[in-house]
Every structure is written in structure tokens, then in C-alpha cells.
Amino acid sequence: MLQFRASIVLKELIQTSPKRLLSDIIRHKKTLPNAYCFSAANNGRISKLNIVHYGRCFIQPLAGRRFLCTKTEGAIEPTETAKKDETVQEAAADKKAGILPSLEDLLFYSIAEGQERIPAHKFITALKATGLRTGDPRLKECMDMLKVTLKSTSDGVMLDRHLFKKCVQSNIVLLTQAFRKKFVIPDFQSFASHIDTLYEKGRNLSGGLVADYIPQLAKFSPDLWAVSLCTVDGQRHTVGDTKVPFCLQSCVKPLKYAISVHDHGTEYVHRFIGKEPSGLRFNKLFLDEDDKPHNPMVNAGAIVCTSLIKQLAGNAEKFDYVMNFLKKMAGNEYVGFSNATFQSERESGDRNFAIGYYLKEKKCFPDGTDMTAVLDLYFQLCSIEVTCESASVMAATLANGGFCPITGERVLSPEAVRDTLSLMHSCGMYDFSGQFAFHVGLPAKSGVSGGILLVVPNVMGIMCWSPPLDKLGNSVRGIQFCTDLVSLFNFHNYDNLRHFAKKLDPRREGGDQRHTFGPMDYESLQKELALKDTMWTKVSPTECNEDSSTTVVYRMETVGDGN
């Protein structure tokens, strides 16, 4: 039974920064020797590695190197009992795994770079470079086992191959995809560096005023500025004041609309609310020709949308229902409530009360609706608190078709996500919606607290937050960041990904189009690692002038390639 362990070739395949596929390496004769020769002892370990290079044989020292494969053929030599037991265990694992490589071993070798042990912090540093966090819920088993394992080691720092495998085996598929750069943003560190540059540019902006018509909002410093992003694969990056809680305000409007469509469907929701941009200020007492609010992103539409949430329940149950929904969207990260802001909203909400009574007069609510209770809930939902970090996960859930990227849980239906993003694109930025759709070309929603919830469909969600607002009620720094982002990267909905060469595409690595593999299990990842278009064939050992009783030579060839 032939068991691939690791090699220069496979190591290059799984390295953190691979430049070429294995199939590409094969085609370059100067890069890959013609064949690898192995002198095998009875214990299945390689005693000598010979490389046949254009018909010439030379010996490579084995110190500091990992082995390409083992083959239990040839003479039998005595070994120590401990080594025998280890070999038996490995052979059993090999038999179970077949001829394909162990993902855990490949991951260890790619990080260890020839060393027998690695410090735990080296693994953590390499993990963070992929964009994953140690606190990612999907890596909980790995991180918990790492803590337990380090306590059992003599120095509490170093991990050998067996301890490493023990730590990562529960999450090996996710980790392998991360280290092989199969996430939506392959070169995540480079991308994060660009985000930091855009952030610094925004920080130097001045102008705009902090909203003061709600007294609690006026208390925020105009110097606060934060950007957080979360990709559909759960890669995270934050910069600035990203842990400071702030209220969602109007950024909650697309979220509660999504909940309504998820619960009732598009047709029912739009019996009460239109789909068109109003062309008017967000708080105008104005309805469309059918006596319906123009869309759910203006105050009138958001108030009616609030009345559709769990219609037969009381406000306490409705509020808990929305909070639990938002927590699922945020991957159970911070979602809170500011009672002070709620009280402030209610005390200064005369315009919204006027809109509410106007809607009641025009019979815009479902039958039996208590308008004052709806307004109370409306103010409460505007007062829900998030941080930039948790809100970016909410946006990423919208970008990911309703699945939360860091938990994998289905939160919203595809229909709800599609409709929400459509209305965010056309109506989400107050009276600046047309300009934003033209210049940025992405679904977004702003709020008077200074937040901008931005969605790059199928790629990532972003939350920008800075309290100073322009005359239209949008964050000055947030608008600049979104504009600069699309100027640098081809994220605009109508950028041509094939021919618009002036912009960067972070979804590509080394100029190659990212290949989407979709969900992969352990077995399919092993097959993908082994590359189905290559195979190992036995060739004559005489090419290496070695004793044929102990030498087995394998040559890597491309299937169907006569060269």
C-alpha cells in the first residue's frame, strides 16, 4: 500500500502562498525533476531519496526533509519496539486513508517548514493571515483542544505532528481550505492592507455634523471612525473604533423588512408597502398613488413593516423575536439595546407620530393593528445597538444568501435576501440613493447614527461608522470610503470582471480566476489535493543505479499527456 506523506511538490501545493497549481509545475521541466527514487527499509520509512533529473541521478540529504511516500517493499531490518508500535498505528491509519495524503499531515508540514515541532503561536499567526479568527465558532473544537493540549506539553508552547493533528482534526476541512487560499479573498493580508489605506484616507476627512435631533446621538464624538468587514467565508478585518456600540437607527430597516419577507413572503408584504424610490425626504407624510408607503426604507414604509412582525403577539414578544433574529444574523456577536436612545426617540418623535396617524387614516396597516404600539416597537428597533464588528457579520449574512458565514446557520430565505438587497440598492441611501447606485453600485443602507451597512453580494459585508453626517443624512467618511472602495476594486455591480483591467480584483490570486469548489468534505478535499489529472507510475529502478531489492521509483505524469 502506497501512502503519500508530503513532498516538495505537495508542500508547494499546500503552501500558504502557492504560486502555481501542481499541474502547472508538472509542465515545467526545469521546476520538477523527472522522477523521485526511494530506498525503502522494512519499517516503511525512506532511508535514501534520489532524484532522477534528465536521466542523471543525484542524492538529496534527508535531514530536515519530509518524505514523499512510503512503500513496505524490500529487505526487513529490526527496529525498536516503540517504532514498531508507531509504524503499526500509522499503517492502520494509512490503510484507512487509502493512497491519498492525510490533510492533517499536509497542513502540519506546510506550517512546520521542515521542523519536527512548531510553536503554537506560529500556527495562530498563520491562521490569522488567512482572515480567520481564533474566536470563530467554526473553530471552537480546534481552539479548545489546542488549549488542553498545550497544558499537557512540557513547555506549554511546542506542538509535534501528532499533537498538531489531534488539535486540528475536528476542523481540518475548513483549515485546509483556508491555508490553500480557497476562500473568496485568497490574498487576504494584501486586501486588508488596502482597506487600512482607505480607512486612513477617510480619517483625514473633516466636515459634517453629528445628528442632534435625537439628544442621545448628539453625545457621540465626531472623531469616531470604524470599518469592519466579514467575507462570505468568514474572513474578518477591522480597523478603528470597531468595538464601540452604537444604535442601528435606519440601518435596521432592511433587516426588519428581510424578517417580514422571510416570515410572510414577498407578495403579502407588498400588499402594504411599495417598491419604488420616493424622491422625497425619508420622513415625509406622503404615500404613492395606491395609498401605500413608497418603500420599506423610508419612515412610513418602515413603520408599516414593523406592524407585520408577529402580528398576534405583544410588543415584548415581538422585540425578543427581532433581537434573536438579529443575533443569528450577527453570528451571536454583540447585539444590545439602548434604553436611553429609545426614550429619547419617543420623546422627540412627533414627526413619526404624525406619519403613524396618517397611515392609520389611510388604512395602511393590517386589520386590528394598534398604531401606538407599533410606533413604540418602531422606536425600540431603531435603538438596537451593534458594534461595527457584529454589524459586518449581519451584512455578510445578506451577502451570503441568508447563511451566517461564521456559524453556517440558515437565517433568511433566498427570497428575503434578494428582495432586501434590491430595495437597498434603489432606496437605501435617503435622497442620495440614485447617486450612490450610480457611483458605488452596491446595496447599502445608512442611518443617522453614522452607520452605512454595505453589501458586496457573494463576497462580503461591510459596516462603516462615523457620526458626522452630510446634509442628506449620510456619514461623510462612510460615503467617501464606499466610493474609494469601488474605485480601487471591481465591486461595482456593473464592472466587467473580464475587461475592466484598471481595477483590482481581490477575488483572484496571481491573475487566475478563483475556482469555486463549494462545500467540501474530507474525502473530496483529499481527491482535490491529489489532483485527478496526475498519477504516479512505477518505472525501472535501473535509472538510479540502485539495488532493485530495496528501491522503488515513481514518476509523476499527466494523464493523457504523451510528453
Side-chain angles (χ1 to χ4, degrees):
M1 176 66 67
L2 175 65
Q3 170 68 32
F4 293 114
R5 295 292 186 192
S7 69
I8 301 168
V9 177
L10 287 179
K11 182 177 177 181
E12 181 168 354
L13 174 65
I14 197 172
Q15 274 179 334
T16 308
S17 302
K19 298 299 181 185
R20 291 166 295 176
L21 293 175
L22 182 55
S23 55
D24 294 328
I25 299 171
I26 296 167
R27 297 187 185 100
H28 291 80
K29 302 299 184 181
K30 293 182 179 180
T31 304
L32 187 68
N34 292 49
Y36 291 81
C37 302
F38 303 89
S39 297
N42 69 305
N43 61 356
R45 297 188 179 279
I46 301 167
S47 61
K48 187 183 295 182
L49 169 62
N50 293 349
I51 298 181
V52 181
H53 188 68
Y54 299 105
R56 299 177 60 190
C57 177
F58 58 94
I59 298 175
Q60 294 283 351
L62 290 183
R65 292 183 178 273
R66 306 311 304 171
F67 306 118
L68 178 62
C69 65
T70 60
K71 178 78 170 177
T72 54
E73 294 185 12
I76 297 177
E77 297 177 5
T79 58
E80 297 177 4
T81 304
K83 290 186 177 181
K84 281 185 178 180
D85 293 339
E86 180 183 350
T87 303
V88 170
Q89 293 175 0
E90 289 185 355
D94 292 351
K95 184 176 180 181
K96 184 177 180 181
I99 66 169
L100 296 175
S102 162
L103 299 182
E104 293 90 342
D105 283 342
L106 289 172
L107 185 59
F108 176 80
Y109 295 138
S110 70
I111 298 173
E113 297 178 333
Q115 301 300 312
E116 294 296 329
R117 299 198 302 163
I118 60 172
H121 70 82
K122 184 174 183 179
F123 167 59
I124 297 299
T125 301
L127 179 67
K128 290 179 178 179
T130 70
L132 292 181
R133 289 185 171 182
T134 55
D136 191 309
R138 298 168 297 173
L139 294 175
K140 185 178 187 303
E141 295 89 347
C142 176
M143 293 299 115
D144 288 347
M145 183 59 70
L146 183 62
K147 292 177 183 178
V148 172
T149 302
L150 289 176
K151 289 180 181 178
S152 66
T153 60
S154 57
D155 53 16
V157 175
M158 303 298 290
L159 295 170
D160 62 20
R161 182 169 62 91
H162 296 290
L163 290 177
F164 180 83
K165 290 174 68 173
K166 183 179 178 182
C167 292
V168 304
Q169 60 188 0
S170 298
N171 305 116
I172 187 59
V173 173
L174 176 66
L175 291 170
T176 301
Q177 288 180 308
F179 281 93
R180 297 192 64 247
K181 296 193 173 186
K182 293 300 180 184
F183 284 162
V184 66
I185 306 294
D187 293 318
F188 193 75
Q189 284 186 303
S190 174
F191 177 72
S193 177
H194 285 299
I195 296 296
D196 291 344
T197 301
L198 298 182
Y199 170 84
E200 289 298 327
K201 181 179 178 181
R203 190 169 66 171
N204 296 327
L205 286 178
S206 58
L209 299 172
V210 179
D212 58 3
Y213 72 94
I214 300 173
Q216 284 301 119
L217 298 181
K219 295 181 179 181
F220 282 98
S221 167
D223 296 326
L224 292 168
W225 170 223
V227 174
S228 290
L229 66 89
C230 176
T231 73
V232 294
D233 290 316
Q235 297 164 284
R236 311 285 298 274
H237 183 65
T238 63
V239 56
D241 306 300
T242 56
K243 296 186 182 297
V244 179
F246 62 93
C247 290
L248 280 169
Q249 292 297 324
S250 287
C251 288
V252 82
K253 289 173 180 174
L255 306 180
K256 61 186 175 184
Y257 169 74
I259 294 172
S260 297
V261 175
H262 177 83
D263 288 344
H264 302 295
T266 303
E267 183 180 350
Y268 179 81
V269 170
H270 286 285
R271 291 180 193 172
F272 305 94
I273 309 169
K275 309 181 187 75
E276 294 290 336
S278 67
L280 303 168
R281 293 287 290 172
F282 66 95
N283 57 359
K284 287 289 186 181
L285 281 75
F286 195 79
L287 302 176
D288 64 17
E289 59 185 12
D290 297 321
D291 279 344
K292 294 192 297 188
H294 284 81
N295 61 73
M297 305 300 159
V298 295
N299 285 15
I303 292 170
V304 172
C305 191
T306 303
S307 72
L308 304 180
I309 297 172
K310 292 190 75 69
Q311 296 171 33
L312 301 179
N315 268 11
E317 186 178 346
K318 291 179 180 180
F319 180 77
D320 281 346
Y321 180 72
V322 175
M323 284 288 284
N324 289 333
F325 230 110
L326 297 185
K327 285 178 181 177
K328 289 180 182 179
M329 289 187 70
N332 298 314
E333 294 191 356
Y334 178 77
V335 180
F337 176 71
S338 171
N339 187 59
T341 303
F342 163 59
Q343 298 294 341
S344 184
E345 286 252 15
R346 188 161 58 174
E347 291 166 4
S348 60
D350 293 339
R351 173 58 69 94
N352 286 320
F353 274 103
I355 293 173
Y357 279 108
Y358 184 52
L359 293 170
K360 183 179 179 182
E361 177 199 359
K362 295 294 186 178
K363 295 181 170 47
C364 295
F365 295 111
D367 293 340
T369 298
D370 181 343
M371 187 272 296
T372 56
V374 168
L375 280 174
D376 246 17
L377 181 61
Y378 173 81
F379 294 137
Q380 289 174 32
L381 298 184
C382 288
S383 304
I384 290 175
E385 279 188 340
V386 295
T387 63
C388 249
E389 295 190 13
S390 61
S392 69
V393 182
M394 293 179 179
T397 300
L398 292 175
N400 199 33
F403 284 92
C404 177
I406 64 173
T407 64
E409 181 181 3
R410 160 74 75 185
V411 184
L412 294 167
S413 67
E415 177 187 25
V417 173
R418 178 200 63 201
D419 294 350
T420 301
L421 295 181
S422 297
L423 288 171
M424 288 172 67
H425 182 78
S426 61
C427 313
M429 299 298 291
Y430 299 131
D431 295 345
F432 191 66
S433 295
Q435 294 261 27
F436 194 88
F438 183 85
H439 292 290
V440 179
L442 291 171
K445 185 69 189 84
S446 59
V448 293
S449 58
I452 295 182
L453 192 76
L454 182 72
V455 178
V456 185
N458 305 307
V459 180
M460 71 181 72
I462 301 174
M463 173 57 92
C464 312
W465 177 59
S466 179
L469 309 177
D470 60 24
K471 62 181 181 180
L472 297 176
N474 298 313
S475 169
V476 172
R477 292 190 181 103
I479 291 291
Q480 185 65 54
F481 178 86
C482 294
T483 304
D484 291 342
L485 180 76
V486 175
S487 296
L488 181 61
F489 300 111
N490 58 358
F491 286 155
H492 192 293
N493 264 337
Y494 305 110
D495 278 339
N496 189 293
L497 301 184
R498 295 185 62 188
H499 305 297
F500 209 134
K502 294 182 180 179
K503 293 186 180 182
L504 301 178
D505 187 353
R507 291 161 286 197
R508 296 171 181 256
E509 182 198 358
D512 294 325
Q513 182 65 45
R514 175 181 180 260
H515 179 68
T516 302
F517 291 93
M520 299 182 76
D521 57 19
Y522 189 97
E523 183 179 354
S524 60
L525 257 178
Q526 281 187 308
K527 291 178 180 177
E528 196 273 321
L529 276 171
L531 290 180
K532 297 177 182 177
D533 63 338
T534 62
M535 65 179 180
W536 292 86
T537 57
K538 186 181 293 188
V539 298
S540 171
T542 56
E543 290 182 304
C544 289
N545 299 316
E546 289 287 335
D547 180 6
S548 60
S549 64
T550 59
T551 301
V552 180
V553 183
Y554 288 86
R555 186 193 307 277
M556 188 164 59
E557 297 177 349
T558 302
V559 176
D561 186 355
N563 296 330

